[in-house]
Amino acid sequence: MSFEPEGPVLEGTLVRLEPLEHRHAAELVRAAEEDRGSYAYTWVPRAHEVGDYVDAQLARAATGLIAPYAQVSLVSGRAVGATAYLEPRSWWGEDRLDAVEVGYTWLAASAQGTGVNAEAKLLLFRHAFEQWRVSRVDLKTDARNSRSRAAIASVGARFEGVLRNWSRSWAPGEDGRLRDSAMFSITADEWPERRARLEERVARFRARTA
């Protein structure tokens, strides 16, 4: 497949998704070291790991298999987390994209529940469905991560099931172990209704912020 998911800047009213760069590192250090109580099953770099984390994401981007972003809060003007497009797939062997995953997502504790996640997903999904014309967008998380599963469901993704021993575990103390992954998706046919629902949800967060 020759298509590479090079993500452009995506800007909303609560968050701006900027292609990840080294200039985001200092703000991501601050974001990553807020209250880490919600990260039980999600790997989020510690302050001393952020530089290597950015290097690793940019190295993956150079392979054409990931488009990493910094999530920049428009309220604070600071990077408050990260996300990415990954796993681009083409089923017909053409220079087009048929499916992509949204993942590698984390947010500072202070940005959770503020609408940043909802609008970031709206921006990512809209670009994937309306610019790249994908047939589906995937999302997945550790099957034990009820918080993450609820967040994914809240943006309109449909639960498809659990794949056992699907990928490495990021949970503390589980180095070298595999996890079961809860799989979710949105399809192109579902997107218009999901978009309307997400836009309404983001509007409620925007009104609350105002």
Side-chain angles (χ1 to χ4, degrees):
M1 184 186 75
S2 58
F3 185 95
E4 295 183 3
E6 295 180 358
V9 173
L10 301 173
E11 183 155 356
T13 57
L14 301 173
V15 65
R16 181 172 60 251
L17 301 181
E18 300 177 355
L20 182 66
E21 298 179 8
H22 288 288
R23 64 185 176 85
H24 296 114
E27 293 175 353
L28 291 178
V29 166
R30 178 176 175 177
E33 287 301 327
E34 292 184 10
D35 181 357
R36 297 176 62 90
S38 65
Y39 298 153
Y41 298 106
T42 300
W43 185 81
V44 177
R46 301 301 310 227
H48 69 280
E49 297 172 318
V50 168
D52 289 341
Y53 164 78
V54 174
D55 286 341
Q57 291 295 74
L58 294 180
R60 294 184 182 104
T63 69
L65 296 179
I66 178 176
Y69 281 102
Q71 301 194 65
V72 177
S73 166
L74 295 181
V75 173
S76 69
R78 298 193 307 269
V80 294
T83 191
Y85 288 118
L86 63 149
E87 299 292 338
R89 302 187 300 285
S90 177
W91 294 309
W92 310 111
E94 301 172 357
D95 187 16
R96 54 167 287 180
L97 187 65
D98 290 304
V100 70
E101 183 177 338
V102 169
Y104 289 125
T105 300
W106 62 273
L107 280 174
S110 61
Q112 296 173 24
T114 65
V116 167
N117 179 63
E119 188 170 53
K121 293 300 192 294
L122 172 62
L123 296 171
L124 291 164
F125 296 163
R126 187 169 64 195
H127 186 77
F129 284 116
E130 298 177 18
Q131 300 301 316
W132 289 339
R133 314 296 295 181
V134 299
S135 297
R136 63 177 277 145
V137 171
D138 308 331
L139 303 97
K140 68 175 183 288
T141 189
D142 191 307
R144 300 167 294 180
N145 193 341
S146 58
R147 184 187 184 100
S148 179
R149 290 176 65 159
I152 292 172
S154 75
V155 297
R158 180 176 177 179
F159 176 59
E160 295 185 323
V162 172
L163 297 181
R164 297 177 298 166
N165 287 350
W166 181 251
S167 59
R168 65 176 292 183
S169 172
W170 297 104
E174 294 189 356
D175 291 349
R177 293 180 58 183
L178 296 176
R179 75 176 196 191
D180 295 347
S181 290
M183 311 298 291
F184 295 78
S185 73
I186 298 175
T187 66
D189 288 343
E190 295 168 338
W191 171 238
E193 188 274 336
R194 300 301 196 273
R195 173 174 175 166
R197 186 192 307 178
L198 263 177
E199 288 174 339
E200 290 175 359
R201 187 164 180 236
V202 170
R204 291 194 295 272
F205 278 113
R206 188 184 306 125
R208 189 184 309 170
T209 301

